[in-house]
Amino acid sequence: MQFTSEQRLDDGALEREFTLGEIPGILWTPVSASAPVPLILLGHPPLGLRRMYPRLVARARRSAAEGFATATIELPGSGDRPRWPAVDQARADLRQAMAAGEPVSDEIVDALILPLVDKAVPEWQSALDALLSLPEIGGPVGYSGGLISIGIRLAVVEPRIVAAGLFAGSLVPRAMFEEARQVTIPLHVLLQWDDEGNDRQAALDLFDAFGSKEKSLHANMGGHTGVPQFAGDAAAQFFTRHLK
């Protein structure tokens, strides 16, 4: 891991950009901490870190105020990383189906999501290795947001992640439902009840499939961008309960 820039935000959080090999990332830490702090990995959709930065930094600032470090990395094929023709084609097929009002086939979902999960999860694990080697970060580790399929795979294969906050979404390959049954860590799942891009029943079926003994579903009225402010309060309480 090589840090490439550093700035102190006006609320006291320290933001550092880094590269891990050819993968860009950002780390935020609370500068007021006197001991190593827990870490939350901030997931995001494959739209590029630059485009997602305003949302990510808002989540990071709040987490720093709660005493957590947060970090994120660029997903494969996104942002400034090399294009991924197969996934780009799957995205084009998805847009075409949605524009035509046609159902999105399992083949399109699999082609779009499964390769991304297979490549992104080992990269997240490598980033976690590097982050936990820093003296200011001591664990435990949580995962928050992003593509729910990446969160599912990380919850299954990464024992250092002890709790996850997931954003419900319907583009979930059928194979991930079987992996969801293997998830045992505490889960906090956010669902927008009227999300125009989400199959509500599919999201509910996935929640039912999770094998965790502690799992909670937080459903709010409104569309994809209508997440209420207080939803962040519940997520913060979840991570405080499980990481501190």
Side-chain angles (χ1 to χ4, degrees):
M1 173 182 283
Q2 180 178 356
F3 288 106
T4 57
S5 70
E6 176 178 313
Q7 66 169 331
R8 183 166 178 165
L9 305 181
D10 54 15
D11 53 3
L14 181 65
E15 177 183 286
R16 286 174 285 176
E17 296 187 7
F18 64 84
T19 56
L20 187 69
E22 297 180 353
I23 304 170
I26 310 173
L27 170 64
W28 295 271
T29 50
V31 296
S32 60
S34 58
V37 297
L39 172 67
I40 300 174
L41 303 176
L42 297 183
H44 53 91
L47 300 175
L49 282 183
R50 296 184 189 280
R51 181 173 171 182
M52 292 303 301
Y53 176 82
R55 298 184 198 177
L56 289 166
V57 74
R59 292 161 63 191
R61 286 174 181 268
R62 172 155 195 166
S63 295
E66 299 286 341
F68 298 111
T70 51
T72 192
I73 58 173
E74 188 73 87
L75 292 177
S78 297
D80 296 329
R81 297 188 64 179
R83 303 310 306 169
W84 196 349
V87 173
D88 285 344
Q89 181 60 54
R91 287 176 183 153
D93 294 341
L94 172 67
R95 288 193 294 267
Q96 182 177 352
M98 295 181 70
E102 300 172 351
V104 179
S105 69
D106 290 344
E107 290 76 14
I108 292 176
V109 174
D110 288 354
L112 180 64
I113 302 298
L114 290 178
L116 187 57
V117 172
D118 289 342
K119 189 169 184 178
V121 166
E123 293 180 351
W124 273 112
Q125 291 181 292
S126 296
L128 187 53
D129 291 339
L131 291 162
L132 288 178
S133 71
L134 299 174
E136 61 268 37
I137 298 175
V141 181
Y143 176 85
S144 174
L147 289 180
I148 196 168
S149 292
I150 291 178
I152 292 170
R153 176 70 60 79
L154 277 169
V156 172
V157 303
E158 181 47 72
R160 292 172 292 185
I161 294 177
V162 302
L166 304 176
F167 299 163
S170 59
L171 294 179
V172 180
R174 293 185 183 276
M176 298 307 301
F177 279 73
E178 189 57 41
E179 291 194 39
R181 295 182 176 91
Q182 303 173 46
V183 175
T184 59
I185 62 174
L187 297 177
H188 176 103
V189 182
L190 178 64
L191 170 65
Q192 284 302 104
W193 200 249
D194 304 303
D195 190 335
E196 58 278 5
N198 187 22
D199 182 328
R200 183 194 304 160
Q201 189 58 54
L204 295 173
D205 291 344
L206 180 61
F207 180 79
D208 189 51
F210 285 122
S212 303
K213 291 183 178 179
E214 181 188 334
K215 58 180 180 178
S216 58
L217 179 67
H218 297 254
N220 296 288
M221 304 305 292
H224 185 74
T225 60
V227 180
Q229 185 71 29
F230 61 77
D233 298 336
Q237 292 168 4
F238 170 79
F239 283 116
T240 296
R241 188 163 67 251
H242 291 289
L243 301 185
K244 286 191 173 181

